[in-house]
Amino acid sequence: MTQKNSLHWNEIYSKKVENDLSWFQPKPTISVYFIEKYGNSSESFIDIGCGTSTLVDELVKRGFENLTLLDISAQALKIVKKRFPSENRITYIASDVLQWQPEEDFQIWHDRAVFHFLTRPEEISTYQILAKSRISHGGILILGTFALDGPTSCSGYRVSQYSAETIRKLFEPEFELIDSLEEVHETPWQSKQNFTWTAFRRV
Ligand SMILES: C[S@@+](CC[C@H](N)C(=O)[O-])C[C@H]1O[C@@H](n2cnc3c(N)ncnc32)[C@H](O)[C@@H]1O
């Protein structure tokens, strides 16, 4: 499954340009808003399933000192690395998040449009256990997922939909929901996708 999955995503990042990707956004406005509101630049940050997002560019500009980018697609990471040929604040990890065995804890954990690809109970539970064990106490979990009235599939895969309430139930009591908002994401071809954003603090 992992290998098939990584081939799938590598092919997408090899063949498509930004404007072919439904999830592409010129500026990761909501991610930056939550990260600046609840985190700070000296904290360790990880972007789960970063793809080729420009979020890391925004955080480098803002002086973040310790950035980790994880994606199942080595090709996506290669594209990002080209933008930062000599940036030693960034660590790259090519791995399926469900297979990953981290060696450190993180203070800010960000995931836009990755968690909703986990549709089987055992996948969701593996992710929950990982987040609970690897986000420091007092640390922040930021999740951007499709909303209840969001898409039912993406990039050829079935996806899950969430409200702030349904996602809260998955992460409490270890995490306390501290913020949420709804976003209408516009794809590069102007179709609309409803997202639910949540921010949690590790209790
Ligand atoms: C819809 S894209 C979102 C990319 C990025 N977060 C953004 O907002 O632009 C989903 C990303 O998750 C990655 N991905 C999918 N399944 C994954 C998994 N099991 N582990 C790690 N990354 C995964 C894909 O390679 C892809 O880059």
Side-chain angles (χ1 to χ4, degrees):
M1 176 63 189
T2 287
Q3 203 200 350
K4 188 169 144 244
N5 213 1
S6 68
L7 290 175
H8 171 89
W9 289 103
N10 277 336
E11 187 165 316
I12 287 177
Y13 287 111
S14 305
K15 293 196 175 151
K16 297 193 175 197
V17 295
E18 280 173 345
N19 276 336
D20 299 328
L21 306 174
S22 59
W23 56 91
F24 174 70
Q25 47 177 3
K27 286 263 177 218
T29 313
I30 295 179
S31 303
V32 171
Y33 164 76
F34 277 127
I35 292 165
E36 288 198 307
K37 187 167 176 190
Y38 297 110
N40 71 65
S41 59
S42 62
E43 292 177 325
S44 52
F45 168 90
I46 183 156
D47 194 6
I48 302 290
C50 58
T52 53
S53 164
T54 56
L55 177 58
V56 62
D57 308 55
E58 296 298 325
L59 299 182
V60 164
K61 265 193 259 167
R62 286 166 171 76
F64 276 68
E65 292 162 16
N66 180 350
L67 297 159
T68 301
L69 302 180
L70 176 141
D71 202 285
I72 198 167
S73 166
Q75 178 60 24
L77 296 177
K78 197 168 145 193
I79 293 169
V80 179
K81 252 187 216 171
K82 278 198 187 146
R83 306 204 297 259
F84 301 100
S86 55
E87 181 53 74
N88 58 16
R89 287 177 287 168
I90 308 176
T91 302
Y92 298 88
I93 300 172
S95 172
D96 182 336
V97 65
L98 302 179
Q99 306 282 319
W100 177 46
Q101 298 191 331
E103 283 160 14
E104 56 172 318
D105 292 349
F106 297 91
Q107 287 157 307
I108 311 170
W109 177 294
H110 172 270
D111 171 331
R112 173 178 180 262
V114 187
F115 181 68
H116 60 209
F117 282 101
L118 311 180
T119 51
R120 298 209 309 265
E122 61 273 25
E123 293 174 336
I124 293 172
S125 134
T126 301
Y127 190 104
Q128 286 167 318
I129 292 166
L130 189 64
K132 284 169 190 173
S133 65
R134 283 308 179 181
I135 298 177
S136 319
H137 290 275
I140 301 298
L141 164 65
I142 299 163
L143 291 169
T145 63
F146 285 138
L148 292 182
D149 53 359
T152 52
S153 67
C154 177
S155 189
Y157 288 121
R158 197 164 65 81
V159 291
S160 301
Q161 297 82 27
Y162 293 100
S163 64
E165 191 51 23
T166 58
I167 213 158
R168 179 177 69 79
K169 289 186 182 145
L170 292 179
F171 287 94
E172 67 179 17
E174 288 85 355
F175 291 90
E176 177 198 3
L177 182 66
I178 51 172
D179 210 341
S180 66
L181 59 83
E182 301 290 319
E183 176 205 12
V184 181
H185 165 65
E186 191 168 287
T187 67
W189 46 96
Q190 283 83 48
S191 69
K192 312 266 190 230
Q193 297 185 331
N194 292 343
F195 270 75
T196 295
W197 283 89
T198 46
F200 293 87
R201 190 176 301 281
R202 177 76 170 95
V203 174

